[in-house]
Amino acid sequence: MVSRRDNIGPAIVFLLLMCGGGVASWFLAAPALSEMARPDYDVTRMVFTYSTLPRLATALIAGAALALSGALFQQVLRNPLADPTTLGVSAGANLALVVTSLFIPELLGAGRDLVALIGSATAAAIVVSLGARRGFSPYSLVLSGLVLSLWCGGLAAILTYLNQRYLSSLFIWGAGSLAQQSWVIPLSLLWKLAVIAIGCAFVMRPLSLLDLGESSSTALGVRLVRLRFVVVALAVALAAFVTSAVGVIGFIGLVAPTIARLSGARRPTQLILWSPLIGAGLLFFADSILQLVAGGLGDFLPTGAVTAIFGSPLLLALLPRLKIRHRLQQSPAFNRSRRWDGSAPVIIAAAGLLVLLMVSVFLGRDVNGGWALASGEFSVDVLAIRIPRILAALASGAMLAVAGSILQRLTGNEMASPEVLGISAGATFGVAIALFAVAPGFSGQFAFAVAGAISVLFVIFVSSRRSAFAPERVLLAGIALSAMVDAVVGVLSSTGDPRAVLLMRWMSGSTYLIDGSTAAMEVALGAVLIAVSLAARRWLDILPLGPSPSAAVGIPLAKSRFALFGLAGLLTAAATLTVGPLSFIGLMGPHLAREAGLARALPQMVGAALIGGGLMVAADFVGRTIVSPYQIPAGLVSALIGAPFLMLMMRKWPAAGLSDTRLS
């Protein structure tokens, strides 16, 4: 039996957050209240009554709704890493609203909530269907949600990039803006939250019985399929309503239940009661601090980005306290009869890459939009523009694929890649600092990108070292760091600085500004770094066997791991400068090489480099020709191809081949 003392900890946390937010709000409201004492206070009173107070109310209601959504997801899926952000629900709603705003804006007048619900429900259905094949394991659910979020974000970025005139105003809103001009939004959110809270009351008892296990709860009359459907629908509706009203606000649904659980809320009833209260206090506190610090810019800085800046370090701090026990099973071995000789896949990949390069160099669109070969008097000028970007895409794709191979072999995690682990986001953060603070050339940007990538690697290494690089710890640390980096970049981009446009274009992975010198430097960096990686093949063959065999043959564990992680950071930083942070090549290249039967480090890295380079060249060709005369950045094209590819692979993997994991 749980003592009432278990409620003391969550109550203290809630009171501290509310007091902190209240003090910050008092400093905000004090000037307005003093002005209201004057006889000519009409304007001040109007601003206070219809802007400041509705914003505070919206923060409380939205925070409670997101935290309740996260608590419901975590309880019904038995997954403490689930929330609207990590499951892709909020990203699905955001993409649906962007698509509707562009193509069928009349639907927004009929009902924004309905559009957001459709997007959220579609994303939730995809993620839950993938997770159901593996018993709703935390690893598979979070990975599916992360990939879907990146895919939705990439597609939304393409639409915004191609239609900046129409969609640029959605940027701050999409990042989560609580700025209000009336009481319409908080009042509409309030009654929706009240209705869903009533629905939660009816499912509280069967949710509590889930703690007994699926067999025991079924024996007591709980219909698991129906319960999951109802609870997931309630959680999706909460996230969709908030996203429709104020945009994407991340981490509240993940951090608030985690804080409630760590502060003493153990029973499902306590968790579902205290999580909304702590979530309300958390968002209220974060938004109040934002307005106090930002001053007049508070209305223009996205609150969702700020919550990620606050929430990511908090999640990293809480990560060591999440108890984890896992039983990793070996992935199903390849059918030996289907394996080719190690050189055959490499030869086929090299031949395919050569054909792809020839097509990409000489084939394109003419002025009338038809297909044409590069010939005639202007062919030299065309090739002078086309060849550098193709070479840069080739080198970047190869470097990302080799970096993914190194990370996967080092961590024993087949889902490790520069994109998923946040290393690409770290490189992005370094470039953002370079652009806004120093404005250096290519070499300076590379140095800052390397520093950012290695910093993220270091944090992941420290956070996951005690768990022996358990996939869940590594993945969660990468998610937290990626969200924090994206939030910082979002805040910088929302300032209106002209350099933000350059940063967004660079993040999209555009190659059409690559000139000959930049391409030559990229190719040189790729050749050197890949050669060093191939020279470390012995380490990469032995280290995955474990610490004892590695030490027995004389490999210095600490030094070799540090060197290989640093090498992966260098490869990622150099590639990210050209193709942006969301290409998924670092994930697809090693997997395709492994599917081709390349198991040892040397042939796998060579095959991954050829495949990764070819995929990026193909993405550049598709982006250059598919909507001619417009161009879609190669990084975004590869992301749109890579995310469905990864989800298809996850769907094909049998459940026995993945880790059986439980977190608490």
Side-chain angles (χ1 to χ4, degrees):
M1 183 127 182
V2 178
S3 171
R4 292 183 179 179
R5 294 180 179 178
D6 292 332
N7 293 317
I8 296 178
I12 292 175
V13 173
F14 171 67
L15 291 175
L16 288 175
L17 290 171
M18 291 300 295
C19 289
V23 170
S25 298
W26 171 256
F27 283 107
L28 287 171
L33 292 175
S34 63
E35 289 288 331
M36 289 172 63
R38 298 169 49 189
D40 55 343
Y41 67 93
D42 288 347
V43 174
T44 304
R45 181 183 64 181
M46 294 289 287
V47 171
F48 181 75
T49 305
Y50 295 103
S51 179
T52 304
L53 288 181
R55 176 166 183 157
L56 297 178
T58 302
L60 290 170
I61 298 169
L66 290 172
L68 179 58
S69 176
L72 291 174
F73 274 129
Q74 293 178 17
Q75 183 63 24
V76 75
L77 299 178
R78 314 301 301 148
N79 180 359
L81 307 183
D83 89 314
T85 305
T86 58
L87 296 184
V89 174
S90 297
N94 184 51
L95 176 61
L97 289 168
V98 169
V99 171
T100 304
S101 300
L102 181 61
F103 296 107
I104 40 179
E106 57 272 13
L107 286 183
L108 295 178
R112 288 166 55 101
D113 289 342
L114 179 61
V115 174
L117 273 173
I118 293 173
S120 295
T122 303
I126 294 173
V127 173
V128 172
S129 65
L130 290 173
R133 295 173 61 85
R134 293 158 191 85
F136 297 100
S137 74
Y139 178 47
S140 61
L141 276 172
V142 173
L143 179 63
S144 303
L146 172 64
V147 172
L148 186 63
S149 295
L150 293 176
W151 187 85
C152 291
L155 182 54
I158 284 181
L159 294 175
T160 304
Y161 186 82
L162 295 177
N163 302 274
Q164 295 182 21
R165 180 180 303 177
Y166 307 106
L167 298 180
S168 58
S169 60
L170 292 176
F171 177 78
I172 295 179
W173 172 85
S177 176
L178 295 179
Q180 300 297 318
Q181 287 81 42
S182 70
W183 284 93
V184 173
I185 286 180
L187 291 178
S188 65
L189 281 177
L190 182 60
W191 74 261
K192 294 168 187 172
L193 178 60
V195 170
I196 295 179
I198 294 174
C200 293
F202 287 101
V203 299
M204 190 69 71
R205 182 178 179 274
L207 271 179
S208 301
L209 294 177
L210 283 181
D211 280 354
L212 302 176
E214 293 189 0
S215 301
S216 300
S217 58
T218 302
L220 293 173
V222 177
R223 298 182 180 180
L224 290 178
V225 175
R226 186 171 68 178
L227 176 65
R228 281 177 175 148
F229 177 81
V230 171
V231 175
V232 167
L234 293 173
V236 166
L238 285 168
F241 291 149
V242 173
T243 304
S244 172
V246 297
V248 178
I249 297 179
F251 273 93
I252 298 297
L254 180 62
V255 173
T258 302
I259 293 176
R261 190 180 297 109
L262 293 177
S263 60
R266 296 182 176 87
R267 300 173 60 184
T269 305
Q270 292 176 316
L271 184 66
I272 293 177
L273 172 65
W274 285 112
S275 293
L277 295 176
I278 292 176
L282 194 61
L283 189 54
F284 173 58
F285 175 76
D287 190 59
S288 299
I289 295 296
L290 168 65
Q291 293 185 77
L292 186 63
V293 173
L297 294 176
D299 289 339
F300 300 98
L301 292 179
T303 307
V306 176
T307 58
I309 294 175
F310 279 110
S312 301
L314 180 61
L315 182 60
L316 287 173
L318 296 175
L319 183 58
R321 298 194 60 184
L322 286 177
K323 298 178 182 179
I324 177 172
R325 55 185 188 274
H326 56 279
R327 177 171 57 85
L328 294 178
Q329 299 178 352
Q330 297 295 327
S331 298
F334 294 107
N335 190 339
R336 294 284 179 179
S337 63
R338 295 176 57 191
R339 283 199 171 189
W340 301 339
D341 179 74
S343 60
V346 174
I347 294 174
I348 293 175
L353 177 59
L354 182 60
V355 172
L356 185 60
L357 284 172
M358 297 296 292
V359 171
S360 183
V361 168
F362 292 106
L363 184 63
R365 298 278 193 174
D366 58 22
V367 293
N368 298 318
W371 294 97
L373 293 174
S375 60
E377 58 179 327
F378 298 109
S379 60
V380 175
D381 297 328
V382 171
L383 294 179
I385 298 173
R386 192 177 293 173
I387 290 177
R389 61 184 291 177
I390 293 173
L391 291 177
L394 173 65
S396 299
M399 285 189 284
L400 284 173
V402 172
S405 298
I406 293 174
L407 292 171
Q408 290 177 18
R409 300 184 77 89
L410 267 181
T411 62
N413 179 358
E414 293 185 353
M415 290 295 100
S417 79
E419 301 90 353
V420 174
L421 296 187
I423 301 171
S424 296
T428 302
F429 183 56
V431 172
I433 293 177
L435 290 176
F436 280 83
V438 184
F442 182 86
S443 58
Q445 292 181 19
F446 175 70
F448 276 88
V450 169
I454 292 180
S455 298
V456 169
L457 272 172
F458 176 77
V459 174
I460 292 175
F461 182 81
V462 171
S463 302
S464 309
R465 182 176 52 185
R466 292 185 179 180
S467 64
F469 295 102
E472 297 76 20
R473 298 292 182 104
V474 175
L475 180 62
L476 186 57
I479 291 172
L481 290 169
S482 295
M484 182 171 62
V485 168
D486 290 342
V488 172
V489 173
V491 170
L492 292 175
S493 300
S494 67
T495 59
D497 193 302
R499 290 169 292 187
V501 177
L502 179 62
L503 178 62
M504 292 181 65
R505 184 169 55 194
W506 174 83
M507 288 179 63
S508 67
S510 176
T511 58
Y512 61 80
L513 293 180
I514 298 294
D515 56 17
S517 59
T518 303
M521 188 175 297
E522 193 77 10
V523 171
L525 284 172
V528 172
L529 293 175
I530 292 175
V532 174
S533 302
L534 298 179
R537 60 188 181 276
R538 180 172 177 270
W539 286 357
L540 291 171
D541 277 328
I542 297 176
L543 285 174
L545 300 177
S548 299
S550 301
V553 296
I555 294 181
L557 292 178
K559 294 181 179 179
S560 59
R561 286 175 175 171
F562 179 81
L564 289 172
F565 271 118
L567 182 58
L570 290 171
L571 287 163
T572 302
T576 304
L577 286 174
T578 301
V579 297
L582 295 178
S583 65
F584 279 101
I585 298 298
L587 198 57
M588 291 189 291
H591 271 290
L592 290 176
R594 194 179 298 112
E595 288 286 345
L598 302 174
R600 294 183 64 86
L602 178 60
Q604 187 184 92
M605 284 192 290
V606 173
L610 294 172
I611 294 171
L615 288 173
M616 188 53 67
V617 171
D620 179 73
F621 176 74
V622 171
R624 172 164 53 89
T625 59
I626 194 169
V627 290
S628 178
Y630 300 102
Q631 297 192 29
I632 302 177
L636 290 180
V637 173
S638 62
L640 293 183
I641 297 172
F645 170 83
L646 175 59
M647 287 187 283
L648 179 63
M649 287 197 305
M650 291 183 64
R651 188 170 181 83
K652 291 175 63 178
W653 284 334
L658 295 177
S659 59
D660 177 18
T661 309
R662 296 293 182 270
L663 285 83
S664 61

Coordinates of all heavy atoms in Angstrom, one line a residue, residues 254-313:
L254 N 7.1 14.7 -21.7 CA 8.1 13.7 -21.3 C 8.7 14.1 -19.9 O 8.8 13.2 -19.0 CB 9.2 13.7 -22.3 CG 10.4 12.7 -22.0 CD1 9.8 11.3 -22.0 CD2 11.4 12.8 -23.1
V255 N 9.0 15.3 -19.7 CA 9.7 15.7 -18.4 C 8.7 15.7 -17.2 O 9.1 15.3 -16.1 CB 10.4 17.1 -18.6 CG1 10.9 17.6 -17.3 CG2 11.5 17.0 -19.7
A256 N 7.5 16.2 -17.4 CA 6.6 16.4 -16.3 C 6.3 15.0 -15.7 O 6.4 14.9 -14.4 CB 5.3 17.1 -16.7
P257 N 5.9 14.0 -16.4 CA 5.6 12.7 -15.8 C 6.9 12.1 -15.1 O 6.8 11.4 -14.1 CB 5.1 11.8 -16.9 CG 4.6 12.7 -17.9 CD 5.4 14.0 -17.8
T258 N 8.0 12.3 -15.8 CA 9.3 11.8 -15.2 C 9.6 12.5 -13.9 O 10.0 11.8 -12.9 CB 10.5 12.1 -16.2 OG1 10.2 11.5 -17.4 CG2 11.8 11.6 -15.6
I259 N 9.4 13.8 -13.8 CA 9.6 14.5 -12.5 C 8.6 14.0 -11.5 O 8.9 13.8 -10.3 CB 9.4 16.0 -12.7 CG1 10.6 16.6 -13.5 CG2 9.4 16.7 -11.3 CD1 10.5 18.0 -13.9
A260 N 7.3 13.8 -11.9 CA 6.3 13.3 -11.0 C 6.7 11.9 -10.4 O 6.6 11.6 -9.2 CB 4.9 13.2 -11.6
R261 N 7.2 11.1 -11.3 CA 7.6 9.7 -10.9 C 8.8 9.7 -10.0 O 8.8 9.0 -8.9 CB 7.9 8.9 -12.1 CG 8.1 7.4 -11.9 CD 8.4 6.6 -13.1 NE 7.2 6.7 -14.1 CZ 7.3 7.4 -15.2 NH1 8.4 8.1 -15.6 NH2 6.2 7.4 -16.0
L262 N 9.8 10.6 -10.3 CA 11.0 10.6 -9.5 C 10.7 11.3 -8.1 O 11.5 11.1 -7.2 CB 12.1 11.3 -10.2 CG 12.6 10.6 -11.5 CD1 13.7 11.4 -12.2 CD2 13.2 9.2 -11.1
S263 N 9.7 12.2 -8.1 CA 9.5 12.8 -6.8 C 8.5 12.1 -5.9 O 8.2 12.5 -4.8 CB 8.8 14.2 -7.1 OG 7.6 14.1 -7.8
G264 N 8.1 10.9 -6.4 CA 7.3 10.0 -5.4 C 6.0 9.5 -6.0 O 5.4 8.6 -5.3
A265 N 5.5 9.9 -7.1 CA 4.2 9.5 -7.6 C 4.4 8.1 -8.3 O 4.9 8.0 -9.4 CB 3.6 10.5 -8.6
R266 N 4.0 7.1 -7.6 CA 4.3 5.7 -8.1 C 3.0 5.0 -8.7 O 3.1 4.3 -9.6 CB 4.8 4.8 -6.9 CG 6.1 5.3 -6.4 CD 6.6 4.4 -5.3 NE 7.9 4.7 -4.8 CZ 8.2 5.6 -3.8 NH1 7.1 6.2 -3.3 NH2 9.4 5.9 -3.5
R267 N 1.9 5.3 -8.1 CA 0.7 4.6 -8.6 C 0.2 5.4 -9.8 O 0.4 6.6 -10.0 CB -0.4 4.6 -7.5 CG 0.0 3.9 -6.3 CD -1.0 4.0 -5.2 NE -2.4 3.5 -5.6 CZ -3.4 3.6 -4.8 NH1 -3.4 4.2 -3.6 NH2 -4.6 3.2 -5.3
P268 N -0.5 4.7 -10.8 CA -1.0 5.3 -12.0 C -1.9 6.5 -11.7 O -1.9 7.5 -12.4 CB -1.7 4.2 -12.7 CG -1.1 2.9 -12.2 CD -0.7 3.2 -10.8
T269 N -2.7 6.3 -10.6 CA -3.6 7.4 -10.3 C -2.9 8.7 -9.9 O -3.2 9.8 -10.3 CB -4.6 7.0 -9.1 OG1 -5.3 5.8 -9.5 CG2 -5.6 8.1 -8.8
Q270 N -1.8 8.5 -9.1 CA -1.0 9.6 -8.7 C -0.3 10.2 -9.9 O -0.2 11.5 -10.0 CB 0.1 9.2 -7.6 CG -0.5 8.7 -6.3 CD 0.5 8.2 -5.4 OE1 1.4 7.4 -5.8 NE2 0.5 8.6 -4.1
L271 N 0.2 9.4 -10.8 CA 1.0 9.9 -11.9 C 0.1 10.7 -12.8 O 0.5 11.8 -13.3 CB 1.6 8.7 -12.7 CG 2.4 9.1 -13.9 CD1 3.7 9.7 -13.4 CD2 2.8 7.8 -14.7
I272 N -1.1 10.3 -13.1 CA -2.1 11.0 -13.9 C -2.6 12.2 -13.3 O -3.0 13.2 -13.9 CB -3.2 10.0 -14.4 CG1 -2.6 8.9 -15.3 CG2 -4.3 10.8 -15.1 CD1 -3.6 7.9 -15.8
L273 N -2.6 12.2 -11.9 CA -3.1 13.4 -11.2 C -2.0 14.5 -11.2 O -2.2 15.7 -11.5 CB -3.5 13.1 -9.8 CG -3.8 14.2 -8.9 CD1 -5.0 15.0 -9.4 CD2 -4.0 13.8 -7.4
W274 N -0.8 14.1 -10.8 CA 0.3 15.1 -10.6 C 1.0 15.5 -11.9 O 1.5 16.7 -11.9 CB 1.3 14.5 -9.6 CG 0.8 14.5 -8.2 CD1 0.6 13.4 -7.4 CD2 0.6 15.7 -7.4 NE1 0.1 13.8 -6.2 CE2 0.2 15.2 -6.1 CE3 0.7 17.0 -7.6 CZ2 -0.2 16.0 -5.1 CZ3 0.4 17.9 -6.5 CH2 -0.1 17.4 -5.3
S275 N 1.0 14.7 -12.9 CA 1.7 15.1 -14.1 C 1.1 16.3 -14.7 O 1.9 17.3 -15.1 CB 1.7 13.9 -15.1 OG 2.4 12.9 -14.7
P276 N -0.2 16.5 -14.9 CA -0.8 17.7 -15.4 C -0.5 18.9 -14.6 O -0.2 20.0 -15.1 CB -2.3 17.5 -15.5 CG -2.4 16.0 -15.5 CD -1.3 15.5 -14.7
L277 N -0.5 18.8 -13.2 CA -0.2 19.9 -12.4 C 1.3 20.3 -12.5 O 1.6 21.5 -12.6 CB -0.5 19.5 -10.9 CG -2.0 19.3 -10.6 CD1 -2.1 18.8 -9.1 CD2 -2.8 20.5 -10.9
I278 N 2.2 19.4 -12.5 CA 3.6 19.7 -12.7 C 3.8 20.3 -14.1 O 4.6 21.2 -14.3 CB 4.5 18.5 -12.4 CG1 4.4 18.1 -10.9 CG2 5.9 18.7 -12.8 CD1 5.1 16.8 -10.6
G279 N 3.2 19.7 -15.1 CA 3.3 20.2 -16.5 C 2.8 21.6 -16.6 O 3.5 22.5 -17.3
A280 N 1.7 22.0 -16.0 CA 1.2 23.3 -16.0 C 2.2 24.3 -15.3 O 2.5 25.3 -15.8 CB -0.1 23.4 -15.3
G281 N 2.7 23.9 -14.2 CA 3.7 24.7 -13.5 C 5.0 24.8 -14.3 O 5.6 25.9 -14.3
L282 N 5.4 23.8 -14.9 CA 6.6 23.8 -15.7 C 6.6 24.8 -16.9 O 7.5 25.6 -17.1 CB 7.0 22.4 -16.2 CG 8.4 22.1 -16.7 CD1 9.4 22.4 -15.6 CD2 8.5 20.7 -17.2
L283 N 5.5 24.7 -17.7 CA 5.3 25.6 -18.8 C 5.1 27.0 -18.3 O 5.6 28.0 -18.9 CB 4.2 25.1 -19.7 CG 4.1 25.8 -21.0 CD1 5.4 25.8 -21.8 CD2 3.0 25.2 -21.9
F284 N 4.3 27.2 -17.3 CA 4.1 28.5 -16.7 C 5.4 29.2 -16.2 O 5.7 30.3 -16.5 CB 3.1 28.4 -15.5 CG 2.9 29.6 -14.7 CD1 2.4 30.8 -15.3 CD2 3.2 29.7 -13.4 CE1 2.2 32.0 -14.6 CE2 3.0 30.8 -12.6 CZ 2.5 32.0 -13.2
F285 N 6.2 28.4 -15.6 CA 7.5 28.9 -15.1 C 8.4 29.2 -16.3 O 9.1 30.3 -16.3 CB 8.2 27.8 -14.2 CG 9.6 28.2 -13.8 CD1 9.8 29.1 -12.8 CD2 10.7 27.6 -14.4 CE1 11.1 29.4 -12.4 CE2 12.0 27.9 -14.0 CZ 12.2 28.8 -13.0
A286 N 8.5 28.3 -17.3 CA 9.4 28.5 -18.5 C 9.0 29.8 -19.2 O 9.8 30.6 -19.6 CB 9.4 27.3 -19.4
D287 N 7.6 29.9 -19.5 CA 7.2 31.1 -20.2 C 7.3 32.4 -19.5 O 7.7 33.4 -20.1 CB 5.7 30.9 -20.6 CG 5.2 31.9 -21.6 OD1 5.8 32.0 -22.7 OD2 4.3 32.6 -21.3
S288 N 7.1 32.3 -18.2 CA 7.3 33.6 -17.4 C 8.8 34.0 -17.4 O 9.1 35.2 -17.5 CB 6.8 33.3 -15.9 OG 5.5 33.0 -15.9
I289 N 9.7 33.1 -17.2 CA 11.1 33.4 -17.3 C 11.5 33.9 -18.7 O 12.3 34.9 -18.8 CB 12.0 32.2 -16.9 CG1 11.7 31.7 -15.5 CG2 13.4 32.4 -17.2 CD1 12.2 32.8 -14.5
L290 N 10.9 33.3 -19.7 CA 11.2 33.8 -21.1 C 10.8 35.2 -21.3 O 11.5 36.1 -21.8 CB 10.4 32.9 -22.1 CG 10.4 33.4 -23.5 CD1 11.8 33.5 -24.1 CD2 9.5 32.6 -24.4
Q291 N 9.6 35.6 -20.8 CA 9.1 37.0 -21.0 C 9.9 37.9 -20.1 O 10.2 39.1 -20.6 CB 7.6 37.0 -20.6 CG 6.7 36.3 -21.5 CD 5.2 36.5 -21.1 OE1 4.7 37.6 -21.4 NE2 4.6 35.6 -20.5
L292 N 10.3 37.5 -18.9 CA 11.1 38.4 -18.1 C 12.4 38.6 -18.6 O 12.9 39.8 -18.6 CB 11.2 37.7 -16.7 CG 11.8 38.6 -15.6 CD1 11.0 39.8 -15.3 CD2 12.0 37.8 -14.3
V293 N 13.1 37.6 -19.2 CA 14.4 37.8 -19.7 C 14.4 38.5 -21.1 O 15.3 39.3 -21.3 CB 15.1 36.4 -19.8 CG1 16.5 36.5 -20.5 CG2 15.3 35.8 -18.4
A294 N 13.5 38.1 -21.9 CA 13.5 38.6 -23.3 C 12.9 40.0 -23.4 O 13.2 40.7 -24.4 CB 12.7 37.7 -24.2
G295 N 12.1 40.4 -22.4 CA 11.5 41.7 -22.5 C 10.6 41.9 -23.7 O 9.6 41.1 -23.9
G296 N 10.8 42.9 -24.5 CA 9.9 43.2 -25.6 C 10.0 42.2 -26.7 O 9.0 42.1 -27.5
L297 N 11.0 41.3 -26.7 CA 11.1 40.3 -27.7 C 10.4 39.0 -27.3 O 10.4 38.0 -28.0 CB 12.6 39.9 -28.0 CG 13.4 41.0 -28.6 CD1 14.9 40.6 -28.7 CD2 12.9 41.4 -30.0
G298 N 9.8 39.0 -26.1 CA 9.1 37.8 -25.6 C 8.0 37.2 -26.5 O 7.9 36.0 -26.6
D299 N 7.3 38.1 -27.2 CA 6.2 37.7 -28.1 C 6.8 37.1 -29.4 O 6.0 36.4 -30.1 CB 5.3 38.9 -28.4 CG 4.5 39.3 -27.3 OD1 4.3 38.5 -26.3 OD2 4.0 40.4 -27.3
F300 N 8.0 37.3 -29.7 CA 8.6 36.8 -30.9 C 9.5 35.6 -30.8 O 9.9 34.9 -31.7 CB 9.4 37.9 -31.6 CG 8.6 39.1 -31.9 CD1 8.6 40.2 -31.1 CD2 7.8 39.2 -33.0 CE1 7.9 41.4 -31.3 CE2 7.0 40.3 -33.3 CZ 7.1 41.4 -32.5
L301 N 9.8 35.2 -29.5 CA 10.6 34.0 -29.3 C 9.7 32.9 -29.0 O 8.8 32.9 -28.2 CB 11.5 34.2 -28.1 CG 12.7 35.3 -28.2 CD1 13.5 35.4 -26.9 CD2 13.6 34.9 -29.4
P302 N 9.9 31.8 -29.8 CA 9.0 30.6 -29.6 C 9.2 29.9 -28.3 O 10.3 29.5 -27.9 CB 9.3 29.7 -30.8 CG 10.7 30.1 -31.2 CD 10.8 31.6 -30.8
T303 N 8.1 29.8 -27.5 CA 8.1 29.2 -26.2 C 8.5 27.7 -26.3 O 9.2 27.2 -25.4 CB 6.8 29.3 -25.5 OG1 6.4 30.7 -25.5 CG2 6.9 28.8 -24.0
G304 N 8.0 27.0 -27.4 CA 8.4 25.6 -27.6 C 9.9 25.4 -27.6 O 10.4 24.4 -27.1
A305 N 10.6 26.3 -28.3 CA 12.0 26.2 -28.4 C 12.6 26.4 -27.0 O 13.6 25.7 -26.6 CB 12.6 27.2 -29.4
V306 N 12.1 27.3 -26.2 CA 12.7 27.6 -24.9 C 12.4 26.4 -24.0 O 13.3 26.1 -23.2 CB 12.1 28.9 -24.3 CG1 12.6 29.1 -22.9 CG2 12.4 30.1 -25.2
T307 N 11.3 25.8 -24.1 CA 11.0 24.6 -23.2 C 12.0 23.5 -23.5 O 12.4 22.7 -22.6 CB 9.6 24.1 -23.4 OG1 9.3 23.8 -24.7 CG2 8.6 25.1 -22.9
A308 N 12.4 23.3 -24.8 CA 13.3 22.3 -25.2 C 14.7 22.7 -24.6 O 15.5 21.8 -24.2 CB 13.4 22.2 -26.7
I309 N 15.0 24.0 -24.6 CA 16.3 24.4 -24.0 C 16.4 24.1 -22.5 O 17.4 23.6 -22.0 CB 16.6 25.9 -24.3 CG1 16.7 26.1 -25.8 CG2 17.8 26.4 -23.5 CD1 16.8 27.6 -26.2
F310 N 15.2 24.3 -21.8 CA 15.2 24.0 -20.4 C 15.1 22.5 -20.2 O 15.7 21.9 -19.3 CB 13.9 24.6 -19.8 CG 14.2 26.1 -19.4 CD1 13.5 27.1 -20.1 CD2 15.0 26.4 -18.4 CE1 13.7 28.4 -19.8 CE2 15.2 27.7 -18.0 CZ 14.5 28.7 -18.7
G311 N 14.2 21.8 -21.0 CA 13.9 20.4 -20.8 C 15.0 19.4 -21.1 O 15.2 18.4 -20.5
S312 N 15.8 19.7 -22.1 CA 16.9 18.8 -22.6 C 17.9 18.6 -21.5 O 18.2 17.5 -21.2 CB 17.5 19.3 -23.9 OG 16.6 19.4 -24.9
P313 N 18.5 19.7 -20.9 CA 19.5 19.4 -19.8 C 18.8 18.7 -18.6 O 19.5 17.9 -18.0 CB 19.9 20.8 -19.4 CG 19.7 21.7 -20.6 CD 18.4 21.1 -21.2

